[in-house]
Amino acid sequence: DVKVTQSSRYLVKRTGEKVFLECVQDMDHENMFWYRQDPGLGLRLIYFSYDVKMKEKGDIPEGYSVSREKKERFSLILESASTNQTSMYLCASALGGQPQHFGDGTRLSIL
Amino acid sequence: AQSVTQPDIHITVSEGASLELRCNYSYGATPYLFWYVQSPGQGLQLLLKYFSGDTLVQGIKGFEAEFKRSQSSFNLRKPSVHWSDAAEYFCAVGAPTNAGKSTFGDGTTLTVKP
């Protein structure tokens, strides 16, 4: 069964810090995604990657960057964390147009 | 551009009652359609998917959904709801190309009364 693992379930950081959220999948999927989820706003796509070192902006990329140096790992980076980036972050992977497989999420608080 | 509308933000049903969650999509061609469920504090889990063929699809946990092209709908149903079905449900539309990107609805929260 596909496993998508996010490095932290809960994370607390301070304003201005550089924050790294890590995601690893074990099924050789070429596509990986980062979403943030906020009450009443559903899932919003931040960035996605369709191959190693390839990335595209999603709907809300501002304040974020990503890195995909290996196929199984997709990192989300908050360059300078701000309080409005407090949210639940979900990582997902998929093979082609197949359904996405999600990690359990990282609840990030920026103080 | 593709889009998904889930008209009901919150639905409450009694345990044992039937359930229907609505989903309307906008997409130029035949879409890939999905329903996911999210329990509190968890990621999303796939309930069922539609790619082509039979318009009535069966999923896990006793759920089914029907694709109606004329109505641009993909409603989720369950004949008898269990307390453990209380969760948030997301409809999504995707495509065979476009790097597997899906567009998600805003979700419907299901509360089950005892």
Side-chain angles (χ1 to χ4, degrees):
Chain A
D1 207 13
V2 177
K3 183 76 173 172
V4 178
T5 303
Q6 294 184 231
S7 53
S8 305
R9 291 298 303 274
Y10 301 93
L11 205 54
V12 180
K13 296 292 183 181
R14 298 221 172 262
T15 304
E17 279 192 71
K18 191 169 186 176
V19 180
F20 293 84
L21 301 184
E22 306 287 344
C23 175
V24 176
Q25 51 97 0
D26 66 357
M27 281 301 290
D28 205 35
H29 288 170
E30 68 267 25
N31 301 323
M32 295 189 74
F33 310 85
W34 274 107
Y35 298 90
R36 67 176 282 175
Q37 183 178 22
D38 300 289
L41 296 178
L43 272 70
R44 293 182 291 169
L45 182 65
I46 305 171
Y47 267 97
F48 71 99
S49 169
Y50 51 91
D51 202 349
V52 175
K53 297 189 187 295
M54 307 304 289
K55 61 189 179 186
E56 284 196 22
K57 294 179 180 178
D59 302 317
I60 53 163
E62 297 77 19
Y64 303 94
S65 63
V66 290
S67 172
R68 193 159 179 209
E69 296 296 319
K70 293 185 177 182
K71 193 172 186 178
E72 67 270 20
R73 186 179 298 271
F74 192 35
S75 303
L76 179 69
I77 304 155
L78 285 65
E79 298 291 344
S80 177
S82 65
T83 55
N84 63 11
Q85 292 178 310
T86 291
S87 187
M88 169 73 98
Y89 290 87
L90 292 168
C91 175
S93 72
L95 182 66
Q98 295 295 319
Q100 295 181 18
H101 296 263
F102 285 82
D104 285 337
T106 295
R107 188 165 294 282
L108 176 64
S109 295
I110 307 295
L111 305 180
Chain B
Q2 56 199 44
S3 66
V4 177
T5 301
Q6 293 181 245
D8 304 304
I9 296 173
H10 196 168
I11 282 185
T12 299
V13 300
S14 298
E15 190 168 14
S18 63
L19 171 70
E20 182 169 32
L21 301 182
R22 296 183 291 164
C23 173
N24 293 98
Y25 68 90
S26 173
Y27 187 69
T30 300
Y32 286 1
L33 293 162
F34 312 96
W35 274 100
Y36 294 85
V37 61
Q38 184 182 33
S39 299
Q42 303 292 319
L44 279 68
Q45 179 186 18
L46 180 72
L47 283 175
L48 47 78
K49 64 186 180 187
Y50 172 79
F51 287 167
S52 64
D54 192 347
T55 56
L56 184 63
V57 294
Q58 302 298 319
I60 62 171
K61 303 177 190 276
F63 286 92
E64 66 178 25
E66 186 171 14
F67 170 57
K68 292 186 178 180
R69 184 188 303 275
S70 61
Q71 299 177 19
S72 297
S73 70
F74 189 58
N75 294 349
L76 182 71
R77 299 194 294 249
K78 186 169 186 178
S80 177
V81 168
H82 188 262
W83 63 266
S84 60
D85 293 324
E88 190 162 18
Y89 292 80
F90 292 92
C91 180
V93 60
T97 56
N98 201 20
K101 273 178 58 179
S102 290
T103 299
F104 288 80
D106 288 343
T108 298
T109 299
L110 173 65
T111 298
V112 180
K113 292 191 302 185

